[in-house]
Amino acid sequence: SSSEGAVLGLSAASEALQHFQTEAEITLSGLESRASQNETTLEETLAELRGEVELQGTVASEALKDLEGLAHQNQANNEAAQALIVNKADEITQSVDNLRRETEESVEVIDAKVQKLGTGIAKTGEELLASVNEIGRAISTTDDTGSTSQVL
């Protein structure tokens, strides 16, 4: 009877152990499945992140190339604008010099004309005075009585 009890106890313990082992195997299988799923999810996430990093790297690289291109274009535009400004400044300086020279020449021509006009007026005045004197002498006549009269 005591051995029957021991066999029954051993049988119950064996059954409990089997039950525990079965549950442990099920749990372990579930854990392995979750670990496998987690590993797959992790690999997928890593692959997505790598793809995103690559994409962002490509976008950043293209943006950098665009910025470098814009910087070169901007530099070329600045150099062209500076050259244009220098050329326009030279043209303006040349125009001002030409205007100054033309103005000086015009002033000299005007001075010469004024001087010539003044000389002409003086000469004309002298000629007019001489003509008036000549007319005055011509008008002075002697009448039949022998007396001199002057008509003005």
Side-chain angles (χ1 to χ4, degrees):
S1 158
S2 96
S3 68
E4 257 182 48
V7 168
L8 279 177
L10 191 56
S11 174
S14 177
E15 251 181 66
L17 183 61
Q18 250 184 345
H19 181 69
F20 175 78
Q21 188 176 7
T22 302
E23 280 187 21
E25 284 175 0
I26 291 171
T27 302
L28 185 59
S29 174
L31 287 175
E32 284 175 352
S33 175
R34 271 193 239 144
S36 176
Q37 282 179 333
N38 286 345
E39 188 176 339
T40 301
T41 302
L42 181 62
E43 286 174 7
E44 288 171 358
T45 303
L46 279 175
E48 287 175 15
L49 288 174
R50 283 187 186 117
E52 192 62 31
V53 166
E54 266 185 51
L55 178 65
Q56 292 301 323
T58 302
V59 168
S61 178
E62 288 174 4
L64 184 59
K65 285 179 188 175
D66 290 346
L67 286 174
E68 287 173 349
L70 289 173
H72 289 301
Q73 183 178 358
N74 194 22
Q75 183 179 359
N77 288 344
N78 286 343
E79 289 170 2
Q82 287 173 350
L84 184 63
I85 289 168
V86 167
N87 288 342
K88 289 297 177 187
D90 288 346
E91 287 177 18
I92 290 169
T93 301
Q94 187 66 37
S95 294
V96 168
D97 288 345
N98 289 343
L99 285 172
R100 183 178 296 125
R101 189 181 67 256
E102 289 170 7
T103 302
E104 288 170 357
E105 290 171 359
S106 295
V107 167
E108 289 172 8
V109 168
I110 290 170
D111 281 348
K113 286 183 179 183
V114 166
Q115 197 171 24
K116 186 176 179 181
L117 185 61
T119 304
I121 289 171
K123 185 177 179 185
T124 303
E126 289 172 7
E127 290 172 355
L128 185 58
L129 185 58
S131 296
V132 167
N133 286 336
E134 193 177 312
I135 291 170
R137 280 192 300 277
I139 293 179
S140 291
T141 58
T142 306
D143 59 15
D144 293 341
T145 61
S147 60
T148 304
S149 64
Q150 187 166 353
V151 180
L152 291 177

